[in-house]
Amino acid sequence: MDLVPALQEPLKKVLGPATAKVMAEHLGLHTVGDLLHHYPRRYEERGQLTHLADLPMDEHVTVVAQVADARLHTFASSKAPRGKGQRLEVTITDGSGRLQLVFFGNGVHKPHKELLPGTRAMFAGKVSVFNRRLQLAHPAYELLRGDTEGEETVESWAGALIPLYPATAKLESWKLAKAIQTVLPSAQEAVDPLPESLREGRGLVSLPEALLKIHRPHTKADIEDARARLKWDEAFVLQIALARRRHAESQLPAVPRKPGPDGLLTAFDDRLPFTLTDGQQKVSREIFDDLATDHPMHRLLQGEVGSGKTLVALRAMLAVVDTGGQAVMLAPTEVLAQQHHRSVVEMMGELAEGGMLGGAEHATKVVLLTGSMGAAARRHALLDLATGEAGIVIGTHALIEDKVQFHDLGLVVVDEQHRFGVEQRDALRGKGKQPPHLLVMTATPIPRTVAMTVFGDLETSVLDQLPAGRSPIASHVVPAADKPHFLARAWERVREEVSNGHQAYVVCPRIGDEDDGPKKGAKQSKQPPEGDADKRPPLAVLDVAEQLAKGPLQGLKVEVLHGRMQPDDKDAVMRRFAAGETDVLVATTVIEVGVNVPNATAMVIMDADRFGVSQLHQLRGRVGRGSAPGLCLLVSEMPEASAARQRLNAVASTRDGFELSRIDLEQRREGDVLGQAQSGARTSLRVLAVIEDEEIIAEARQEAAAVVAADPELTGLPGLRTALEALLDEEREQYLEKG
């Protein structure tokens, strides 16, 4: 059974082509159903009926009164210098007192025609004082014709909650409200997606009733009822989509990968110079249990920066190699792929020298494959993959190309999932004889509900303790505009770190090789006028590096790193920095993820207010990776009272990434949870707020899992199937395909 045709009716048939065109172009609304699901953003209350004798100041009131007199004045103003300005003053009375109404400009014509002396009407507006007299400016009014319209109209109009809709300049909220009134009768035909038992068990109103109450509430309780019900719809339909996806994945076959007792993994563990943290052991057990089953693992591994995720992933990869399979690690950038390759080879030592002289008995080959490799090196790497010579492969998306063939792909590890889409996952998966196991890693701490919403098709493991030996990082905000000497002191601190044998990063939001002549901008940006910090272009790597090398950091070895450099140049810069040959690296956020130089102890982030909370936390995790304590300085020219500074203060005051990700989410709303890539997520959530509605999401997930387990095809729930198809059409790109 399809969606009831009444709700599929195109708006142009119901409202006329002109209005429908604006709705489609500006609000993405095409059918009656779309319009019914365009919910009010908030509600205005028309005040209760008040006598003119006791009007409260600054409050919305509704009065019923008679027009005593009306006068039109013309006057000169800046907008109408020739005395063409118009002001209509109307005096009304209800027997208990008098009140002046005032209308200006083009708004005078209609009331001038309608509000004639003797006319009785209801007026609603906010009470203000002008020339020591009470007045209502531009009140809304409704004429009462004759006495036949009893007090009933007055009462119902007065106490009403007026819905205010998300509108556009082309279509005001009240026009939308009018259009919705036109289609509201169709709400009776809305098919309920929630199973009857669930709806009754949770005491939720029916869908038609919820739609009526959200658009035409009589009381605040009506709004609460409607929102509670509509939140459940959103959470439940989304969780059904994710539960079906998990169910489908669990039906796929996979090769169980159970490592033997004396293989590569054992040899690797024996070489480790430290013991694993409790968290690492627990998460490793969860992963090994998944790998041992005959359907593919789908696990999300979240861990704070530096919590040892790479080590956990490497142990899983070695377990797969022990069973004769191959494991792939995918990184979002070449810099990161090279970095992972270096650290894996270092951690494994002679165990990574399979087929070479001096390689250990259980050794395997660890191969790097990126898009910018030379033809010969690439051919060699591809051959190692196809023959199975290489047990571990680390690379970028180049690994997904058609030419790349594996001998026996058993595990795919994806680093930083939100930079990597499902289509790409599927392309890689197709390279195994059977679907490989999948482990997704992210260092962006994701609040539990976001994990359940955005990554709901993955089981989640969390590494929340840092390994022993990680040093504390002190973070401070440097208010460059209010206190320029603080910035000077920041550069002194960098020099001190370098003179103690350490290194530093300076991070800028922009590269500076654009065509907009940023060189000039950089010079001006040293001392922008008060409050103009957000008007000038963001500071750029190339300019800042030049200024530092000639100024406060003169005599130190300063190098730059950014995304538009040639891959070989990037790698050479990173190698010099890692080897300690460079004192200060001025970079963009290319260093945000995974770069590991234990000797770097200080970081100065310029224009820190231009970065998100989670991003600052990620960047900060690049220092303090060795035995010396880390220092992170957040430089900003924003004024102390600004929201941007509050954000920076929050970052400086806590090291807990999960706490920061909550703050970040509350400030930016859900749409931007995982960077721009997720911005589509907002469209499907109209009333559900990922942070506030944590309980609903958790309960909806349980209910959805039970429904899908009992009836995977939803044959007994046609309304739910329809809602699901609508969600998947709208969100296929944005939500479940986390591109």
Side-chain angles (χ1 to χ4, degrees):
M1 178 178 134
D2 257 356
L3 242 186
V4 174
L7 295 196
Q8 279 189 329
E9 189 86 25
L11 286 173
K12 60 173 175 278
K13 279 193 173 170
V14 189
L15 303 173
T19 309
K21 185 168 183 249
V22 176
M23 286 193 178
E25 284 175 10
H26 294 274
L27 297 167
L29 308 173
H30 303 278
T31 64
V32 168
D34 292 344
L35 185 54
L36 286 174
H37 286 291
H38 187 73
Y39 307 136
R41 188 177 59 235
R42 58 190 178 86
Y43 301 86
E44 272 289 0
E45 281 184 80
R46 286 206 181 104
Q48 293 307 319
L49 278 181
T50 316
H51 287 299
L52 293 185
D54 26 85
L55 285 176
M57 271 300 298
D58 280 338
E59 279 188 28
H60 280 278
V61 297
T62 301
V63 296
V64 172
Q66 198 165 14
V67 177
D69 71 50
R71 293 178 192 183
L72 191 59
H73 302 277
T74 53
F75 60 92
S77 72
S78 57
K79 286 184 182 166
R82 291 203 196 87
K84 291 281 168 43
Q86 292 193 312
R87 180 174 77 242
L88 175 68
E89 289 177 3
V90 178
T91 308
I92 58 171
T93 174
D94 66 350
S96 72
R98 293 168 83 85
L99 177 66
Q100 186 159 29
L101 317 178
V102 57
F103 301 87
F104 290 102
N106 294 336
V108 304
H109 305 307
K110 187 166 174 272
H112 189 223
K113 279 204 300 256
E114 294 182 340
L115 298 178
L116 305 171
T119 307
R120 198 159 164 272
M122 281 181 288
F123 303 90
K126 191 175 183 183
V127 183
S128 56
V129 171
F130 181 71
N131 280 346
R132 292 191 295 205
R133 285 165 66 189
L134 292 183
Q135 71 167 28
L136 297 183
H138 280 285
Y141 64 86
E142 183 130 322
L143 303 178
L144 298 175
R145 319 219 180 262
D147 288 334
T148 46
E149 301 196 16
E151 291 309 304
E152 203 177 311
T153 322
V154 176
E155 286 302 331
S156 67
W157 197 78
L161 290 156
I162 306 163
L164 295 181
Y165 290 90
T168 75
K170 296 261 192 300
L171 201 63
E172 300 96 329
S173 170
W174 63 269
K175 283 189 183 155
L176 270 165
K178 227 170 166 165
I180 286 168
Q181 292 297 356
T182 309
V183 301
L184 207 50
S186 307
Q188 293 302 340
E189 299 181 43
V191 181
D192 206 318
L194 292 192
E196 191 69 12
S197 56
L198 187 155
R199 193 168 70 70
E200 288 177 353
R202 296 193 173 271
L204 299 169
V205 300
S206 70
L207 182 55
E209 189 181 339
L211 290 171
L212 283 171
K213 283 182 167 176
I214 198 113
H215 292 299
R216 284 180 90 167
H218 293 301
T219 62
K220 288 187 174 159
D222 283 352
I223 301 172
E224 288 311 306
D225 286 353
R227 289 177 71 87
R229 163 60 213 248
L230 296 167
K231 281 180 179 190
W232 254 94
D233 280 15
E234 285 181 12
F236 185 69
V237 175
L238 181 61
Q239 291 302 337
I240 284 281
L242 295 165
R244 286 191 66 190
R245 181 154 186 155
R246 287 196 301 276
H247 182 268
E249 303 275 18
S250 72
Q251 304 303 302
L252 294 172
V255 179
R257 307 282 178 176
K258 236 183 174 147
D262 310 316
L264 196 52
L265 179 61
T266 313
F268 175 76
D269 284 348
D270 291 346
R271 297 186 40 142
L272 280 178
F274 50 81
T275 53
L276 298 178
T277 65
D278 295 347
Q280 285 173 320
Q281 288 178 346
K282 175 177 155 286
V283 170
S284 287
R285 275 197 301 277
E286 292 172 348
I287 291 172
F288 289 147
D289 289 349
D290 282 0
L291 288 174
T293 62
D294 54 9
H295 58 81
M297 159 170 85
H298 283 100
R299 192 165 279 283
L300 171 68
L301 172 55
Q302 317 187 42
E304 276 287 12
V305 178
S307 56
K309 293 185 301 296
T310 313
L311 178 61
V312 169
L314 178 55
R315 293 184 71 241
M317 292 163 87
L318 295 174
V320 169
V321 175
D322 272 345
T323 66
Q326 291 167 293
V328 169
M329 181 184 265
L330 273 178
T333 63
E334 295 208 354
V335 167
L336 198 53
Q338 288 158 344
Q339 174 98 26
H340 276 319
H341 182 252
R342 272 200 296 275
S343 60
V344 164
V345 169
E346 271 166 32
M347 281 197 267
M348 287 176 63
E350 74 269 15
L351 297 175
E353 295 167 2
M356 295 191 248
L357 281 171
E361 173 198 354
H362 295 295
T364 186
K365 236 185 189 178
V366 179
V367 170
L368 176 68
L369 185 64
T370 62
S372 64
M373 282 167 79
R378 188 177 170 78
R379 228 180 2 258
H380 207 88
L382 288 173
L383 191 64
D384 284 340
L385 297 196
T387 58
E389 189 83 2
I392 292 180
V393 190
I394 296 171
T396 55
H397 299 156
L399 275 169
I400 305 171
E401 286 176 16
D402 293 344
K403 296 192 201 80
V404 181
Q405 294 303 323
F406 292 90
H407 177 65
D408 176 14
L409 181 59
L411 170 67
V412 177
V413 178
V414 179
D415 194 18
E416 290 305 320
Q417 153 75 9
H418 56 280
R419 298 159 187 239
F420 191 80
V422 163
E423 305 86 347
Q424 294 158 313
R425 267 178 12 192
D426 290 344
L428 245 181
R429 192 181 282 160
K431 295 189 177 294
K433 296 187 176 68
Q434 287 194 325
H437 298 279
L438 175 72
L439 179 65
V440 167
M441 301 198 295
T442 177
T444 308
I446 305 171
R448 173 171 154 252
T449 46
V450 180
M452 286 193 289
T453 321
V454 182
F455 293 116
D457 54 337
L458 303 171
E459 300 300 326
T460 307
S461 295
V462 179
L463 273 176
D464 47 12
Q465 58 186 137
L466 294 186
R470 285 303 300 260
S471 309
I473 302 175
S475 304
H476 304 284
V477 178
V478 177
D482 315 348
K483 300 180 175 161
H485 59 286
F486 276 36
L487 184 57
R489 175 73 187 118
W491 301 127
E492 282 171 25
R493 283 290 290 113
V494 169
R495 293 192 85 99
E496 286 163 19
E497 290 297 314
V498 172
S499 64
N500 289 334
H502 297 302
Q503 293 157 279
Y505 297 100
V506 176
V507 181
C508 304
R510 208 163 54 100
I511 296 174
D513 58 0
E514 299 85 346
D515 302 332
D516 55 6
K519 284 279 182 286
K520 295 190 293 260
K523 293 288 177 280
Q524 298 155 3
S525 71
K526 284 184 178 173
Q527 241 4 92
E530 181 68 19
D532 281 358
D534 51 351
K535 293 197 183 74
R536 62 163 171 76
L539 293 174
V541 167
L542 301 177
D543 309 331
V544 169
E546 189 184 328
Q547 289 167 10
L548 291 176
K550 289 179 181 167
L553 302 185
Q554 204 170 1
L556 302 187
K557 180 113 173 61
V558 177
E559 287 213 66
V560 300
L561 178 70
H562 59 75
R564 269 195 232 127
M565 289 164 63
Q566 290 301 316
D568 293 354
D569 298 344
K570 274 194 251 185
D571 202 37
V573 169
M574 268 323 292
R575 276 179 198 279
R576 286 195 292 274
F577 190 64
E581 295 164 24
T582 306
D583 299 319
V584 179
L585 186 62
V586 183
T588 55
T589 54
V590 288
I591 60 154
E592 172 189 357
V593 175
V595 172
N596 184 24
V597 179
N599 191 44
T601 52
M603 175 177 285
V604 181
I605 303 179
M606 306 302 290
D607 278 344
D609 46 272
R610 309 269 181 151
F611 299 96
V613 170
S614 297
Q615 198 172 26
L616 290 170
H617 181 59
Q618 291 279 5
L619 286 165
R620 165 170 69 181
R622 301 293 126 223
V623 294
R625 298 177 79 87
S627 50
L631 172 69
C632 178
L633 301 174
L634 306 167
V635 179
S636 170
E637 294 182 349
M638 297 306 275
E640 193 162 354
S642 63
R645 277 282 287 281
Q646 314 276 303
R647 263 205 332 264
L648 298 180
N649 292 340
V651 174
S653 63
T654 176
R655 283 285 300 128
D656 179 343
F658 284 93
E659 176 55 30
L660 286 174
S661 70
R662 279 189 86 94
I663 294 171
D664 199 12
L665 194 54
E666 280 160 8
Q667 289 190 339
R668 299 195 301 172
R669 295 295 300 181
E670 297 75 27
D672 206 21
V673 172
L674 300 174
Q676 271 325 105
Q678 291 301 341
S679 56
R682 191 72 201 114
T683 57
S684 127
L685 300 186
R686 296 185 174 95
V687 283
L688 193 70
V690 172
I691 288 286
E692 295 155 29
D693 298 321
E694 189 161 347
E695 279 173 33
I696 295 180
I697 293 172
E699 289 170 16
R701 182 176 168 122
Q702 280 181 335
E703 295 270 13
V707 167
V708 170
D711 180 4
E713 291 306 309
L714 309 178
T715 35
L717 297 163
L720 178 55
R721 249 204 348 267
T722 304
L724 185 63
E725 281 157 17
L727 171 83
L728 292 182
D729 277 355
E730 186 183 348
E731 299 300 316
R732 181 161 275 127
E733 298 308 310
Q734 299 160 330
Y735 232 127
L736 302 173
E737 305 287 290
K738 312 183 251 311

